Amino acid sequence: MPLLVDCSNCKTPLQLPPGANSIRCAICHAITRIHHDPRSLPPGPPPPHSFYPPPPPPPHRAPVVPPSSYHGALTPPPIAGRKKAVIIGITYRKSRYELKGCINDAKCMKFLLMNRFKFPETEILMLTEEERDPHRIPTKENIRMAMAWLVAGCRAGDSLVFHFSGHGSQQRNYNGDEVDGYDETLCPLDFVTKGMIVDDEINDTIVKPLPPGAKLHAIIDACHSGTMLDLPFLCRMNGSGQYVWEDHRPRSGRWKGTSGGEVFSFSGCDDDQTSADTSALSKVTSTGAMTYCFIQAIERGHAGTYGNMLNAMRAAIRNTDTSSGGGVVTSLLTMLLTGGSGAGLRQEPQLSSNEGFDVYRKPFSL
């Protein structure tokens, strides 16, 4: 489309052909040379004697941020996401399944998230028997609502944490999506009357909805918790720190991963093991062995990568002397229901994820 330029002598508007560097005025015959591409300059107002009507006013548009605002970046800078956490500690007071250290675990985890990882207190939902709000008592319905709240509105950049300290158990799997034939379960405060929360539901609620760019860390301090989130891959690590990712994708083809986000689960033990509720680690008060070792690994600088984190937790539990503190295993529920037994700290913390990765290269961060 021809462009208008003013004659350098008589200021008559001239139609400049596309690509031309000069033009001769038909009125005064002066030659006007174009030293800059006029397409890169904003058009000026037409002269009073122009034969062309003035252009219509441009439509209203939102302001455009110039590329220079990105300081040369090809894409806009990432948006800082929110930090949200659900923390659950259940002692099952005044019941045959009573534990001692689970509320201590919840309080310690909240302190860690707020002070070490800068989680806002307003974005931490605590469920324990000590809460006065009836919606924060760790019943089955309240735990379900808390899990839904955790992922509600989740978007890229968000960091979510789900921590549970209490009883865990197993039940027979009938749909063929478990390698060992058992579903893992969390035991809410009212599990005797309302039932347990099965790993399939946990996966559906907080794993599958996770969008690209978001991440979730689960810390499950309970028995039979190795695959409590039903994630596709479990890190099998030996005593020397060598590891392989074990494929736990169900043969049925049912997808157990995310919608693009990252999920990492640290659990207190393997699916066929028990987790301890003991004073042998802190020497002061009862805690869940796994929660205590998880926090200590971070505080002592052993959490640079996921592999270092897992090794530090396992070493701390393996080297624990239970002769003075004693260990009350959180599998008391299982022992009462199945007649099993357990003693000491014979648990091995586990790491599972929605995908395999190099555990010694990927930095750990909540």
mmCIF file of all heavy atoms in Angstrom, residues 16 30 34 43 45-46 68 83 85 130 155 162 175 181 226 237-238 251 268 272 290-291 300 366:
data_model
loop_
_atom_site.group_PDB
_atom_site.id
_atom_site.type_symbol
_atom_site.label_atom_id
_atom_site.label_comp_id
_atom_site.label_asym_id
_atom_site.label_seq_id
_atom_site.Cartn_x
_atom_site.Cartn_y
_atom_site.Cartn_z
ATOM 1 N N LEU A 16 4.609 7.515 -1.745
ATOM 2 C CA LEU A 16 5.869 6.808 -1.915
ATOM 3 C C LEU A 16 5.591 5.352 -2.269
ATOM 4 O O LEU A 16 4.958 4.637 -1.490
ATOM 5 C CB LEU A 16 6.705 6.883 -0.631
ATOM 6 C CG LEU A 16 8.075 6.205 -0.685
ATOM 7 C CD1 LEU A 16 9.026 6.975 -1.588
ATOM 8 C CD2 LEU A 16 8.649 6.080 0.717
ATOM 9 N N ALA A 30 11.302 18.942 -6.795
ATOM 10 C CA ALA A 30 12.375 18.633 -5.839
ATOM 11 C C ALA A 30 12.362 17.131 -5.544
ATOM 12 O O ALA A 30 11.319 16.470 -5.580
ATOM 13 C CB ALA A 30 12.193 19.429 -4.558
ATOM 14 N N ILE A 34 14.502 9.361 1.215
ATOM 15 C CA ILE A 34 14.039 8.705 2.443
ATOM 16 C C ILE A 34 15.235 7.990 3.067
ATOM 17 O O ILE A 34 15.776 7.037 2.502
ATOM 18 C CB ILE A 34 12.911 7.697 2.157
ATOM 19 C CG1 ILE A 34 11.802 8.373 1.330
ATOM 20 C CG2 ILE A 34 12.363 7.130 3.461
ATOM 21 C CD1 ILE A 34 11.185 9.568 2.022
ATOM 22 N N PRO A 43 3.004 7.475 12.037
ATOM 23 C CA PRO A 43 2.546 8.482 11.070
ATOM 24 C C PRO A 43 2.171 9.771 11.764
ATOM 25 O O PRO A 43 1.531 9.776 12.812
ATOM 26 C CB PRO A 43 1.324 7.802 10.430
ATOM 27 C CG PRO A 43 0.839 6.834 11.445
ATOM 28 C CD PRO A 43 2.065 6.360 12.161
ATOM 29 N N PRO A 45 0.390 13.757 11.726
ATOM 30 C CA PRO A 45 -0.908 14.257 11.270
ATOM 31 C C PRO A 45 -0.787 14.786 9.840
ATOM 32 O O PRO A 45 0.251 15.311 9.451
ATOM 33 C CB PRO A 45 -1.224 15.375 12.270
ATOM 34 C CG PRO A 45 0.105 15.801 12.780
ATOM 35 C CD PRO A 45 0.959 14.584 12.783
ATOM 36 N N PRO A 46 -1.792 14.619 9.021
ATOM 37 C CA PRO A 46 -1.714 15.102 7.650
ATOM 38 C C PRO A 46 -1.668 16.632 7.622
ATOM 39 O O PRO A 46 -2.205 17.297 8.508
ATOM 40 C CB PRO A 46 -3.017 14.566 7.036
ATOM 41 C CG PRO A 46 -3.945 14.389 8.186
ATOM 42 C CD PRO A 46 -3.080 14.016 9.329
ATOM 43 N N SER A 68 10.918 -4.746 25.130
ATOM 44 C CA SER A 68 12.071 -4.361 25.940
ATOM 45 C C SER A 68 11.824 -4.587 27.419
ATOM 46 O O SER A 68 12.748 -4.679 28.211
ATOM 47 C CB SER A 68 12.425 -2.893 25.693
ATOM 48 O OG SER A 68 11.322 -2.063 26.017
ATOM 49 N N LYS A 83 1.735 -21.176 47.714
ATOM 50 C CA LYS A 83 2.159 -22.307 48.537
ATOM 51 C C LYS A 83 0.984 -22.663 49.446
ATOM 52 O O LYS A 83 0.512 -21.836 50.215
ATOM 53 C CB LYS A 83 3.396 -21.947 49.368
ATOM 54 C CG LYS A 83 4.681 -21.780 48.552
ATOM 55 C CD LYS A 83 5.837 -21.328 49.430
ATOM 56 C CE LYS A 83 7.141 -21.239 48.667
ATOM 57 N NZ LYS A 83 7.773 -22.550 48.472
ATOM 58 N N ALA A 85 -0.818 -25.989 51.896
ATOM 59 C CA ALA A 85 -0.531 -27.260 52.567
ATOM 60 C C ALA A 85 -1.736 -27.733 53.364
ATOM 61 O O ALA A 85 -2.479 -26.932 53.941
ATOM 62 C CB ALA A 85 0.680 -27.123 53.481
ATOM 63 N N GLU A 130 -7.168 -31.521 68.238
ATOM 64 C CA GLU A 130 -7.091 -30.328 69.084
ATOM 65 C C GLU A 130 -7.807 -29.123 68.480
ATOM 66 O O GLU A 130 -8.008 -28.116 69.163
ATOM 67 C CB GLU A 130 -5.626 -29.965 69.342
ATOM 68 C CG GLU A 130 -4.889 -30.955 70.228
ATOM 69 C CD GLU A 130 -3.483 -30.492 70.547
ATOM 70 O OE1 GLU A 130 -3.015 -29.510 69.915
ATOM 71 O OE2 GLU A 130 -2.837 -31.098 71.422
ATOM 72 N N ARG A 155 -2.611 -23.924 39.745
ATOM 73 C CA ARG A 155 -2.103 -23.479 38.445
ATOM 74 C C ARG A 155 -0.578 -23.558 38.443
ATOM 75 O O ARG A 155 0.039 -23.867 39.463
ATOM 76 C CB ARG A 155 -2.556 -22.053 38.159
ATOM 77 C CG ARG A 155 -2.167 -21.031 39.233
ATOM 78 C CD ARG A 155 -2.727 -19.657 38.907
ATOM 79 N NE ARG A 155 -2.336 -18.656 39.892
ATOM 80 C CZ ARG A 155 -3.040 -18.351 40.956
ATOM 81 N NH1 ARG A 155 -4.182 -18.979 41.187
ATOM 82 N NH2 ARG A 155 -2.626 -17.408 41.800
ATOM 83 N N PHE A 162 0.998 -32.218 51.136
ATOM 84 C CA PHE A 162 0.008 -33.006 51.865
ATOM 85 C C PHE A 162 0.752 -33.881 52.865
ATOM 86 O O PHE A 162 1.546 -34.747 52.484
ATOM 87 C CB PHE A 162 -0.796 -33.884 50.896
ATOM 88 C CG PHE A 162 -1.812 -34.760 51.577
ATOM 89 C CD1 PHE A 162 -3.006 -34.235 52.038
ATOM 90 C CD2 PHE A 162 -1.581 -36.123 51.754
ATOM 91 C CE1 PHE A 162 -3.950 -35.044 52.667
ATOM 92 C CE2 PHE A 162 -2.503 -36.943 52.373
ATOM 93 C CZ PHE A 162 -3.704 -36.400 52.837
ATOM 94 N N ASN A 175 -9.951 -54.566 41.475
ATOM 95 C CA ASN A 175 -10.038 -54.077 40.091
ATOM 96 C C ASN A 175 -8.742 -54.292 39.299
ATOM 97 O O ASN A 175 -8.625 -53.845 38.159
ATOM 98 C CB ASN A 175 -10.436 -52.601 40.058
ATOM 99 C CG ASN A 175 -9.423 -51.692 40.738
ATOM 100 O OD1 ASN A 175 -8.346 -52.138 41.130
ATOM 101 N ND2 ASN A 175 -9.775 -50.426 40.888
ATOM 102 N N GLY A 181 -1.738 -56.657 44.732
ATOM 103 C CA GLY A 181 -3.093 -57.134 44.998
ATOM 104 C C GLY A 181 -3.791 -56.453 46.156
ATOM 105 O O GLY A 181 -4.885 -56.873 46.549
ATOM 106 N N GLY A 226 3.917 -47.158 51.311
ATOM 107 C CA GLY A 226 4.863 -47.012 50.218
ATOM 108 C C GLY A 226 4.260 -46.469 48.945
ATOM 109 O O GLY A 226 4.861 -45.641 48.262
ATOM 110 N N MET A 237 15.638 -48.503 46.226
ATOM 111 C CA MET A 237 17.014 -48.139 46.554
ATOM 112 C C MET A 237 17.596 -49.141 47.543
ATOM 113 O O MET A 237 16.953 -49.497 48.531
ATOM 114 C CB MET A 237 17.064 -46.719 47.135
ATOM 115 C CG MET A 237 18.451 -46.213 47.478
ATOM 116 S SD MET A 237 18.436 -44.507 48.092
ATOM 117 C CE MET A 237 18.096 -43.608 46.586
ATOM 118 N N ASN A 238 18.837 -49.597 47.276
ATOM 119 C CA ASN A 238 19.476 -50.537 48.191
ATOM 120 C C ASN A 238 20.296 -49.790 49.242
ATOM 121 O O ASN A 238 20.335 -48.557 49.262
ATOM 122 C CB ASN A 238 20.348 -51.541 47.421
ATOM 123 C CG ASN A 238 21.493 -50.865 46.673
ATOM 124 O OD1 ASN A 238 21.892 -49.739 46.987
ATOM 125 N ND2 ASN A 238 22.039 -51.553 45.680
ATOM 126 N N ARG A 251 -1.909 -52.793 35.124
ATOM 127 C CA ARG A 251 -2.052 -53.549 33.881
ATOM 128 C C ARG A 251 -3.367 -53.233 33.180
ATOM 129 O O ARG A 251 -3.522 -53.464 31.975
ATOM 130 C CB ARG A 251 -1.973 -55.044 34.174
ATOM 131 C CG ARG A 251 -0.634 -55.478 34.778
ATOM 132 C CD ARG A 251 -0.599 -56.982 35.033
ATOM 133 N NE ARG A 251 0.651 -57.387 35.669
ATOM 134 C CZ ARG A 251 0.832 -57.440 36.971
ATOM 135 N NH1 ARG A 251 -0.160 -57.109 37.781
ATOM 136 N NH2 ARG A 251 1.991 -57.823 37.478
ATOM 137 N N GLY A 268 6.550 -43.410 54.994
ATOM 138 C CA GLY A 268 7.275 -43.921 56.147
ATOM 139 C C GLY A 268 7.856 -45.301 55.968
ATOM 140 O O GLY A 268 8.845 -45.648 56.621
ATOM 141 N N ASP A 272 4.440 -53.329 52.694
ATOM 142 C CA ASP A 272 4.308 -54.479 53.596
ATOM 143 C C ASP A 272 5.006 -54.251 54.933
ATOM 144 O O ASP A 272 5.232 -55.193 55.687
ATOM 145 C CB ASP A 272 4.868 -55.740 52.934
ATOM 146 C CG ASP A 272 6.348 -55.615 52.584
ATOM 147 O OD1 ASP A 272 6.902 -54.493 52.720
ATOM 148 O OD2 ASP A 272 6.945 -56.627 52.174
ATOM 149 N N MET A 290 9.273 -41.343 60.716
ATOM 150 C CA MET A 290 9.479 -40.815 59.372
ATOM 151 C C MET A 290 9.419 -39.287 59.353
ATOM 152 O O MET A 290 10.271 -38.627 58.743
ATOM 153 C CB MET A 290 8.425 -41.408 58.429
ATOM 154 C CG MET A 290 8.575 -40.987 56.979
ATOM 155 S SD MET A 290 7.606 -39.519 56.617
ATOM 156 C CE MET A 290 7.922 -39.373 54.873
ATOM 157 N N THR A 291 8.428 -38.687 60.001
ATOM 158 C CA THR A 291 8.319 -37.227 60.034
ATOM 159 C C THR A 291 9.547 -36.614 60.684
ATOM 160 O O THR A 291 10.104 -35.620 60.197
ATOM 161 C CB THR A 291 7.053 -36.791 60.791
ATOM 162 O OG1 THR A 291 5.906 -37.299 60.119
ATOM 163 C CG2 THR A 291 6.957 -35.279 60.851
ATOM 164 N N ARG A 300 19.531 -30.442 58.785
ATOM 165 C CA ARG A 300 20.964 -30.744 58.824
ATOM 166 C C ARG A 300 21.642 -30.638 57.469
ATOM 167 O O ARG A 300 22.801 -31.017 57.311
ATOM 168 C CB ARG A 300 21.166 -32.145 59.408
ATOM 169 C CG ARG A 300 20.747 -32.237 60.884
ATOM 170 C CD ARG A 300 20.846 -33.656 61.410
ATOM 171 N NE ARG A 300 20.453 -33.725 62.826
ATOM 172 C CZ ARG A 300 20.358 -34.843 63.524
ATOM 173 N NH1 ARG A 300 20.613 -36.016 62.933
ATOM 174 N NH2 ARG A 300 19.994 -34.820 64.804
ATOM 175 N N LEU A 366 10.505 -27.641 48.498
ATOM 176 C CA LEU A 366 9.058 -27.587 48.691
ATOM 177 C C LEU A 366 8.521 -26.251 48.199
ATOM 178 O O LEU A 366 9.195 -25.247 48.286
ATOM 179 C CB LEU A 366 8.714 -27.775 50.161
ATOM 180 C CG LEU A 366 9.093 -29.121 50.796
ATOM 181 C CD1 LEU A 366 8.636 -29.158 52.248
ATOM 182 C CD2 LEU A 366 8.452 -30.272 50.033
#
